[in-house]
Structure formats: C-alpha cells, structure tokens
C-alpha cells in the first residue's frame, strides 16, 4: 500500500529535506525571498509526478490532497504541503519530511519539540506501536521521523531475536533425494518414472518459517533499502542474518490471516504492529507511483481529532458522564432518513449535552477568525439535533488568537451557543485540561 520501488544501496545519496505543514518547495532560488525552500530540480520534478499520479486516480487523496502544485510569477512552479505529515523517500535517496505546524503561546515551536509532540500524538492514538518514545536513543532533532520509526522497530526485533524466534511444524511436500515421512504415490509416479533416486514425499518439519517470522523478515528487507543511518543499516543487516532460515512473505495478506496471537506469540505483538505499519499502511493513506520509493504519511486532521477525543475521555472519566466519538445517533432529516450527522465528540451527563468538533485549521485575526460558514452551519445542526446547549469548535492554538482574553462565543438566539476553543498542543496532555473542567461542570451541574 505504500509507494515503494527499485530501492538499492546506491540510492541513499540524496539529501534530507524538512518542512512544516503549509510550507512550500520550489526549484528557483529566488523563492527564498518568499520563505520557500529550494530543492534540486530533478527531485522537484519527481515529487511533482508523484503528487499528480496520486491525484489522478480519484481515490484516497482526492478529498484531502497530499500537496498542491501551483505556479507563481517570477518563481515558476511551487509545491505546497497540506494536511499530510510524515516522510516521502524518493527513489534516488532524497527524503522529504513534513511536520505539523504547532504553536505554544505566541511562538512556533522548534523542530525537535514538534517531532516529540507529533510522535506523542501518534503513540496516543495507536498509530505507532511501542511503549514510550525513549525506546530510541537517536537524536530526534537530527534524524528524520522515518529513522526514528526504523530504530523503534529494530529495538523490538532485537528483543525478539534475543529470546529466540518461534518455530512450528509445517508441511513439507517436494521431490527429494531422500526418503522421509509419507510417499505421495501419484506424484512420485508422475515425476520419477525415470528418476529412481528421487522420492516425492510429504512430512512435517519443525521450522522458523512461519507467518510471523516471514512478515518480520519482509519488513527488515524493506527497511534495509530505505534506511539512511549507518547504525540502523548495520543492525538491520545483523537482524537479517538471524532470519536467514525464513522466507520472504510472498502473500502478506495470507500471512496476516495465518497469525493467531496467544501466550506463545505475545513477544511478537508490538513488533508485528510495526510490521503492519510499514507493510500495510494501516494507519495512513495508500499511495502509488513508479518514480518514488516510499511514502509514510498521516492525515493530520485525523490524528488531531482522535488525540483530542482520547485525552478528553481520560479527563472526563466519571460514572455519570458518557463520552462518544464519531457518534451516529442522528440524521439531519428523519423522513426520508438522509444526511448522517457524525460529530467528532459528544459529551453527555445528567445536566446537559455538549457536542465538540475538532478542526485542524489555522485561524487568523480576520473577520470571524476565518471560521468557515459551513463549519458554523454544521455546528448549529449539531446543537439542534442533539439538544446541546453548547457546541465547541476545537482549533489548534495559533499566535495572537489563542491568548484572547474573552472566549469566542456565537449565540444563535434560539438555544444554540457555539464556543471556539484553541488548544495549546505544546502543553501535551494538559492541552484539554481547562476544557475538560468546563465540560464536566456543564454536563454534571449546569441548570438552565
């Protein structure tokens, strides 16, 4: 599901490029005057083809484009990042890392802090496995996210190898020069009429060549091709030797289906989660492209929505409070039943209901802060259908707006109040602290 082709050791000579959401790449050095990042023309052209190929298929990237290709007078073509964050590794070795745009207070935080916050969010919503980020001692400020992910995979694989690969009995059926097990008479006659020295036999053998190990082996081989850090590459080669008796997975889906997690395979759980991430693209969108090596990309609006929901569920743990994500209780019309409503978060308590919708958008101090009319119509519909006295629109904090002294409140005059809240992601899990307390008071003790 990930875009990856023709990766070899000689392709690791490209450069590493890092930009943030809404950042822009160009191939004309004059673009630096506009804050654009200039990259090699051949890399720019390959990236452009990748974007256009994935836009043209009409699937996956149409609703939220990966990047936009445009032209600016005096600069030429430009490519701007949008809502996808992660890494694109080009076939010649260049790797483009896209990070979310995150602020704390009035400051845009550093690249190192951004990576740590992003990794924390991914871990919180379950899009990357593992216990804690400190599992890797690589410098997050100097290494791409892909390198950090690869290191985490290696650490888990090393633990498995130290404990020993699991073996199992598997059926072996082939034309051999020795006799063992059961003779397959029909096949033996067919293949060996002129070869008295051979036997077409079937027997069970104790082997490490089982689905779990094949998937790990396949992941190791993939990562050996896209890793750029010498230490990672060295450790992957060592791991590959430990899986020498294991075949590469030729049918990954069949191998995934053949895995049964029980007490004997618990040691594989986290490692297989990493395998699924790298091999299947379970947590991110699939991409294609003949000219690109690998794309590991996450839709940031989805990460933000799930992260906020999870933190609020933790903070609002109470026997009389229900917190639901992606609730589908109502449609806009009952007769006929049409237009499903699906708010991100619904908080219900004995004294009231609140509906919350997350919006991964950068607002500014313009009229209505740039909030779209469609978002307000949607919020009003939520308020009416759910009987919610309050509807919250949750945006990431940005300079000068998140420090407004008064809350941003819109009152419909007929029972719906829309509150705009800015969350400071630089605070980590505390970003929802004040909001959670306000919601707790509203649904437990509000009397209106």
């Amino acid at each position: 599901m990930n875009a990856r082709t023709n990766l070899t050791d000689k392709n690791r000579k490209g450069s590493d490029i890092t930009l943030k959401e809404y950042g822009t790449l160009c191939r004309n050095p004059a673009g630096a005057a506009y804050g654009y990042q200039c990259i090699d023309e051949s890399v720019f052209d390959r990236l452009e083809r990748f974007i256009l190929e994935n836009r043209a298929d009409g699937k996956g990237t149409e609703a939220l484009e990966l990047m936009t290709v445009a032209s600016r007078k005096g600069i030429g073509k430009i490519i701007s990042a949008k809502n996808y964050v992660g890494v694109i590794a080009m076939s010649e070795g260049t790797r483009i890392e896209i990070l979310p745009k995150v602020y704390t207070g009035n400051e845009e935080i550093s690249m190192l802090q951004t990576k740590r916050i992003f990794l924390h969010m991914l871990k919180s919503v379950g899009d990357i496995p593992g216990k804690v980020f400190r599992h890797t001692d690589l410098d997050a400020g100097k290494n791409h996210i892909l390198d950090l992910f690869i290191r985490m995979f290696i650490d888990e694989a090393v633990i498995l190898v130290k404990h020993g690969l699991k073996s199992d009995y598997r059926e072996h059926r082939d034309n051999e020069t020795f006799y063992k097990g059961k003779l397959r008479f029909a096949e033996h006659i067919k293949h060996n009429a002129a070869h008295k020295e051979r036997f077409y036999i079937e027997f069970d053998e104790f082997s490490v060549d089982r689905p779990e190990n094949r998937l790990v082996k396949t992941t190791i081989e993939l990562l050996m091709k896209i890793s750029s850090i010498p230490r990672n590459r060295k450790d992957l080669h060592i791991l590959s030797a430990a899986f020498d008796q294991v075949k590469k997975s030729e049918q990954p889906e069949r191998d995934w289906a053949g895995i049964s997690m029980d007490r004997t395979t618990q040691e594989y759980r986290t490692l297989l989660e990493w395998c699924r991430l790298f091999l299947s693209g379970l947590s991110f969108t699939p991409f294609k492209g003949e000219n690109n090596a690998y794309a590991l990309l996450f839709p940031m609006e989805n990460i933000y929505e799930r992260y906020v929901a999870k933190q609020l569920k933790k903070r609002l743990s109470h026997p009389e409070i229900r917190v639901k994500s992606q609730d589908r209780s109502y449609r806009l019309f009952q007769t006929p039943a049409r237009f499903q409503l699906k708010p991100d978060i619904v908080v219900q308590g004995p004294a009231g209901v609140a509906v919350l919708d997350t919006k991964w958008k950068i607002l500014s101090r313009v009229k209505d802060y740039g909030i779209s009319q469609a978002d307000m119509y949607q919020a009003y519909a939520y308020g009416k259908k759910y009987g919610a006295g309050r509807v919250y629109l949750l945006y990431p904090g940005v300079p000068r707006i998140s420090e407004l002294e008064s809350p941003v409140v819109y009152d419909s005059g007929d029972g719906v109040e829309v509150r705009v809240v800015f969350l400071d992601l630089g605070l980590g899990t505390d970003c929802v602290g004040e909001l959670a307390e306000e919601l707790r008071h509203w649904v437990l003790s509000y009397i209106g």
Side-chain angles (χ1 to χ4, degrees):
M1 294 176 69
N2 299 304
R4 55 182 184 273
T5 58
N6 301 325
L7 287 159
T8 61
D9 288 346
K10 67 181 181 180
N11 289 329
R12 295 197 186 94
K13 298 179 181 179
S15 59
D16 284 346
I17 300 165
T18 298
L19 73 157
K20 290 192 175 182
E21 279 182 294
Y22 312 109
T24 299
L25 300 172
C26 67
R27 52 189 175 189
N28 186 340
Y34 297 92
Y36 301 162
Q37 190 169 343
C38 185
I39 63 175
D40 182 81
E41 187 170 343
S42 62
V43 175
F44 185 98
D45 292 341
R46 279 190 289 272
L47 180 60
E48 180 185 11
R49 285 197 297 271
F50 173 64
I51 295 166
L52 295 177
E53 284 173 358
N54 282 286
R55 182 188 297 169
D57 65 3
K59 293 183 279 187
T61 56
E62 189 171 17
L64 276 175
E65 293 178 332
L66 164 66
M67 289 178 160
T68 57
V69 180
S71 183
R72 178 159 185 165
K73 186 177 180 180
I75 304 296
K77 284 188 176 181
I78 58 175
I79 296 175
S80 298
K82 294 191 73 176
N83 293 90
Y84 284 96
V85 292
V87 177
I88 301 173
M90 311 299 288
S91 58
E92 97 297 349
T94 296
R95 302 186 308 170
I96 301 170
E97 179 182 57
I98 308 170
L99 297 176
K101 204 172 187 67
V102 180
Y103 297 87
T104 182
N106 278 328
E107 301 291 333
E108 184 173 352
I109 64 176
S110 68
M111 289 291 188
L112 173 59
Q113 289 176 298
T114 300
K115 287 183 184 180
R116 291 192 178 278
I117 289 172
F118 177 50
L119 290 169
H120 163 69
M121 293 177 74
L122 288 177
K123 175 62 181 69
S124 295
V125 301
D127 276 8
I128 61 171
K131 299 178 179 66
V132 288
F133 174 56
R134 67 173 176 271
H135 265 200
T136 174
D137 56 1
L138 290 181
D139 187 341
K142 296 180 180 179
N143 293 287
H144 272 218
I145 289 174
L146 184 57
D147 295 320
L148 301 176
F149 287 173
I150 292 173
R151 186 71 242 172
M152 294 179 197
F153 168 86
I154 290 172
D155 290 345
E156 291 293 336
V158 167
I159 293 172
L160 175 67
V161 170
K162 285 181 178 179
H163 290 173
L165 305 186
K166 300 299 180 185
S167 300
D168 200 359
Y169 283 101
R170 57 186 287 270
E171 182 183 272
H172 178 91
R173 183 186 299 179
D174 207 347
N175 205 18
E176 303 286 4
T177 57
F178 58 88
Y179 187 87
K180 181 180 179 180
K182 182 172 65 175
L183 183 69
R184 303 285 300 184
F185 190 77
E187 290 92 338
H188 179 69
I189 296 297
K190 177 181 178 181
H191 293 281
N192 298 326
H195 296 280
K196 304 300 182 182
E197 78 285 1
R198 303 189 72 89
F199 305 92
Y200 205 102
I201 55 177
E202 175 186 309
F203 61 92
D204 290 335
E205 62 178 353
F206 201 56
S207 170
V208 293
D209 189 25
R210 53 187 284 169
E212 299 91 335
N213 293 331
R214 286 196 292 271
L215 290 166
V216 175
K217 169 76 171 278
T218 304
T219 306
I220 290 172
E221 291 188 354
L222 167 65
L223 299 184
M224 285 170 62
K225 298 173 183 177
I226 62 177
S227 179
S228 67
I229 296 179
R231 178 188 167 194
N232 280 357
R233 289 163 58 188
K234 176 185 175 182
D235 289 346
L236 286 166
H237 277 285
I238 294 172
L239 285 170
S240 180
F243 285 79
D244 186 55
Q245 300 300 314
V246 180
K247 296 178 182 178
K248 181 180 178 180
S249 178
E250 299 296 338
Q251 296 178 296
E253 291 305 318
R254 182 176 178 179
D255 282 339
W256 283 118
I259 293 175
S260 177
M261 297 305 298
D262 54 35
R263 61 181 182 81
T264 65
T265 54
Q266 282 303 310
E267 292 176 336
Y268 281 81
R269 183 176 296 277
T270 301
L271 184 58
L272 287 174
E273 288 174 0
W274 278 113
C275 292
R276 190 177 290 277
L277 178 71
F278 285 117
L279 297 177
S280 304
L282 183 65
S283 298
F284 48 93
T285 188
F287 294 102
K288 66 177 185 179
E290 294 181 357
N291 301 296
N292 299 275
Y294 190 83
L296 181 61
L297 296 160
F298 302 81
M300 195 59 207
E301 65 171 12
N302 179 265
I303 302 297
Y304 177 61
E305 171 197 320
R306 292 155 59 205
Y307 177 74
V308 171
K310 186 162 187 177
Q311 301 310 318
L312 283 174
K313 285 180 180 179
K314 289 181 179 179
R315 297 271 182 158
L316 294 173
S317 178
H318 187 283
E320 293 188 281
I321 297 179
R322 293 182 62 198
V323 181
K324 296 187 288 185
S325 300
Q326 295 291 305
D327 184 70
R328 303 172 66 92
S329 299
Y330 297 98
R331 295 180 184 271
L332 190 59
F333 297 101
Q334 291 180 318
T335 307
R338 295 289 187 273
F339 303 104
Q340 180 72 58
L341 297 179
K342 192 169 64 174
D344 294 337
I345 307 163
V346 177
V347 181
Q348 297 173 312
V353 178
V355 176
L356 302 89
D357 228 32
T358 59
K359 303 293 181 184
W360 185 255
K361 298 176 182 177
I362 302 298
L363 298 188
S364 58
R365 301 199 76 164
V366 296
K367 182 180 179 182
D368 292 322
Y369 310 98
I371 300 171
S372 74
Q373 196 169 33
D375 286 345
M376 279 299 187
Y377 286 160
Q378 185 182 57
Y380 179 78
Y382 288 157
K384 284 298 184 182
K385 280 294 181 178
Y386 281 82
R390 286 184 182 177
V391 179
Y392 292 81
L393 298 181
L394 309 180
Y395 293 88
V398 291
R400 296 180 300 279
I401 292 184
S402 53
E403 292 188 353
L404 291 173
E405 293 184 4
S406 302
V408 179
V409 179
Y410 294 85
D411 193 325
S412 69
D414 64 350
V416 177
E417 180 182 280
V418 178
R419 293 191 163 220
V420 180
V421 176
F422 300 94
L423 303 181
D424 187 342
L425 296 175
L427 298 176
T429 58
D430 289 335
C431 67
V432 299
E434 291 185 9
L435 173 62
E437 285 304 311
E438 182 177 324
L439 289 168
R440 181 184 295 270
H441 174 76
W442 174 261
V443 301
L444 287 179
S445 59
Y446 172 75
I447 302 175

